[in-house]
Amino acid sequence: MVIVPKILRNVSLTAHPKGCELSVRNQIDWVRQQLEQHSDTRYQLPHTNFFPKKVLIVGGSTGYGLASRIVAACVGKADTINVSVEREPSETKTATPGWYNTTVFERYAKTHGLKAVSVLKDAYAKTTKAEVASLIAKHFGTIDLLIYSLASPARTDSSGTTYRSVIKPIGNQYGALSVDVTTGMVSKVIVEPADQSQIEETVKVMGGEDWNDWITYLLQCNLLSDGFKTVSYSYIGPELTYPIYRSGTIGKAKEDLENSARLLNETLQSVNGSAYVSVNKALVTRASAVIPVVPLYIALLYRVMKDLNLHEECIHQIYRLFSERLYTGTSIPLDEKGRIRIDDWEMSDSVQQAVHLLWSAQSEGQAIIGGDLEGFITEYAKIHGFGFDEINYSEDIDPRII
Ligand code: NAD
């Protein structure tokens, strides 16, 4: 079949196998060039002897989780396990990008002598945790690091009850400018506030409970190494997005995640372990593209950060997280709330002031002024395997072959 992008309400329904392969390859190549030639001098060289050797990534097939898997394997030579939910390809339907990414990554890792396995099942389920535990026991012994990088719209618990996460303000209606990525026109979006049950459900899905379940279960099974670390990803962003993000339902879930890190630090004392939340930069991923206002903010942010040579993608952020925060051989720098910050470039005064200036130039009913909407659109296409000059998208291919 000829595979073309099909987008419904900012969600891509298709993925291109050859493009996903290139997207994973490009990330691996960037890391390799960095190690061999130190090609991007914005980043320090890693102290690879401190890096973990056995790593579990929950949500490791796309975005920040995939980048974590690539950095762990390609920099630290770690064996890795991924847990993610994917759709397999059929003769007439493409797989999810995560399925293609995982296939390509695992093939690469194995040809380089690394173990790389996946459990493509619901991370919230107890049965998935049990399956992962027996895989760890059989192939890895113990794990040194667990990265928790889930972004999920729903969670079904063991009683069969399904909870849904929503991205809504709390208390008051929120009205702000956003951009229609298909037309480039700026419009006003109004989002109604969440009710109490929506707040609680979002915390249930995206808060710290499931992260805590993973760690306590694997600890009980004696599968965590001495000095074990676990990291979960969060976002704060500028005040202008607070009503929809940090002070909204998802912000409540992120607060819960941060509280869980504090509790996990106590739980992990028996293995001299530690738990961290890393606050990362706003980036185009499958999860972030559906948040109201975020496409406009990201388009403006990308313009500013690219102009200042501060732009990063997931792979660069995670490379910095591992080599300049987590595994330096010295103590990990934390903010006043005990969090790791790799959103420092995004949140610097020079970047935020320039974004603010651009934001105030936008008006309803007009085309976006001065933003990098093209950058947003291209990156969204690329994470689904589209938009690469090297690929002939009119070619008839079998979506099952990669
Ligand atoms: P993403 O959509 O690219 O990745 C989400 C991962 O979770 C995928 O591997 C997906 O398969 C997996 N997943 C979803 N539901 C699952 C389930 N039930 N069981 C197993 N796997 C499941 O998203 P992302 O943007 O990389 O987000 C990862 C984390 O990073 C989230 O916690 C997010 O809040 C955080 N974060 C994102 C940004 C951003 O701008 N994208 C910024 C800072 C922090």
Side-chain angles (χ1 to χ4, degrees):
M1 65 190 273
V2 173
I3 302 171
V4 291
K6 274 190 205 145
I7 295 179
L8 184 67
R9 286 190 284 276
N10 280 6
V11 177
S12 177
L13 306 177
T14 53
H16 199 284
K18 292 191 175 178
C20 288
E21 176 170 19
L22 195 55
S23 159
V24 173
R25 285 261 157 208
N26 285 347
Q27 294 186 59
I28 294 173
D29 285 350
W30 182 83
V31 168
R32 284 183 49 199
Q33 278 169 21
Q34 197 57 18
L35 295 178
E36 287 162 15
Q37 298 152 24
H38 199 188
S39 45
D40 191 339
T41 51
R42 295 180 304 168
Y43 301 96
Q44 292 167 20
L45 284 169
H47 296 280
T48 49
N49 49 325
F50 297 122
F51 273 49
K53 293 294 166 218
K54 289 164 289 182
V55 180
L56 168 61
I57 304 105
V58 182
S61 66
T62 56
Y64 276 116
L66 173 65
S68 306
R69 194 175 196 195
I70 292 173
V71 169
C74 299
V75 182
K77 305 277 172 276
D79 296 327
T80 55
I81 310 177
N82 160 55
V83 181
S84 65
V85 168
E86 310 299 343
R87 182 186 67 233
E88 288 193 16
S90 68
E91 199 178 340
T92 54
K93 224 173 176 187
T94 72
T96 48
W99 191 89
Y100 291 128
N101 294 343
T102 299
T103 307
V104 172
F105 170 80
E106 292 187 355
R107 190 183 299 149
Y108 173 88
K110 284 171 192 162
T111 57
H112 287 79
L114 301 172
K115 287 181 193 158
V117 287
S118 278
V119 175
L120 300 183
K121 292 186 181 158
D122 180 17
Y124 295 113
K126 282 185 177 159
T127 47
T128 304
K129 292 180 177 77
E131 191 174 331
V132 172
S134 55
L135 263 178
I136 296 174
K138 188 167 169 206
H139 298 292
F140 293 67
T142 54
I143 52 166
D144 309 322
L145 171 69
L146 186 153
I147 295 284
Y148 190 83
S149 187
L150 272 199
S152 178
R155 168 182 181 182
T156 302
D157 71 11
S158 46
S159 71
T161 309
T162 298
Y163 304 91
R164 299 198 183 279
S165 71
V166 294
I167 299 164
K168 288 189 169 191
I170 294 176
N172 298 312
Q173 189 188 63
Y174 173 59
L177 296 180
S178 196
V179 67
D180 180 333
V181 288
T182 49
T183 61
M185 298 302 285
V186 174
S187 61
K188 194 160 182 187
V189 289
I190 307 274
V191 192
E192 294 301 326
D195 60 31
Q196 190 54 33
S197 69
Q198 289 177 314
I199 300 170
E200 286 164 14
E201 287 196 33
T202 305
V203 172
K204 191 92 181 157
V205 179
M206 288 296 287
E209 189 178 66
D210 184 59
W211 182 29
N212 186 70
D213 288 352
W214 271 100
I215 301 299
T216 43
Y217 179 67
L218 296 178
L219 183 66
Q220 273 166 20
C221 300
N222 291 321
L223 295 172
L224 306 182
S225 315
D226 189 58
F228 168 83
K229 285 186 177 58
T230 183
V231 183
S232 189
Y233 297 144
S234 188
Y235 182 67
I236 298 176
E239 276 181 33
L240 65 92
T241 63
Y242 275 11
I244 191 70
Y245 197 92
R246 194 65 202 187
S247 313
T249 48
I250 194 80
K252 277 273 171 274
K254 293 298 184 191
E255 254 172 54
D256 186 67
L257 199 71
E258 289 161 20
N259 291 336
S260 297
R262 278 185 278 279
L263 296 175
L264 281 173
N265 274 316
E266 289 168 28
T267 311
L268 287 168
Q269 274 179 8
S270 59
V271 289
N272 299 308
S274 37
Y276 302 95
V277 162
S278 169
V279 183
N280 301 356
K281 169 192 193 281
L283 273 173
V284 181
T285 63
R286 280 162 65 80
S288 66
V290 294
I291 306 178
V293 183
V294 162
L296 178 59
Y297 172 68
I298 289 187
L300 305 183
L301 181 72
Y302 274 25
R303 175 74 287 124
V304 170
M305 293 191 80
K306 283 179 184 175
D307 288 350
L308 294 171
N309 191 28
L310 291 175
H311 180 65
E312 294 178 296
E313 293 173 7
C314 292
I315 193 72
H316 313 116
Q317 278 265 292
I318 299 301
Y319 184 87
R320 203 149 67 85
L321 171 66
F322 276 57
S323 56
E324 298 181 29
R325 300 286 192 276
L326 283 174
Y327 297 107
T328 59
T330 57
S331 59
I332 298 172
L334 303 172
D335 72 6
E336 71 296 346
K337 291 193 170 162
R339 302 170 294 207
I340 298 172
R341 304 297 296 259
I342 50 167
D343 64 338
D344 47 349
W345 297 358
E346 170 183 356
M347 298 313 293
S348 64
D349 287 346
S350 56
V351 169
Q352 284 304 318
Q353 279 162 12
V355 171
H356 245 272
L357 208 64
L358 270 181
W359 189 278
S360 54
Q362 312 302 322
S363 41
E364 195 180 350
Q366 304 286 315
I368 186 172
I369 298 170
D372 182 25
L373 191 60
E374 196 50 41
F376 181 97
I377 294 167
T378 310
E379 209 166 297
Y380 189 73
K382 285 187 170 170
I383 59 178
H384 296 91
F386 298 107
F388 288 100
D389 293 339
E390 301 89 327
I391 290 173
N392 173 8
Y393 288 103
S394 54
E395 193 186 358
D396 198 339
I397 59 167
D398 185 336
R400 294 166 299 184
I401 296 174
I402 180 145

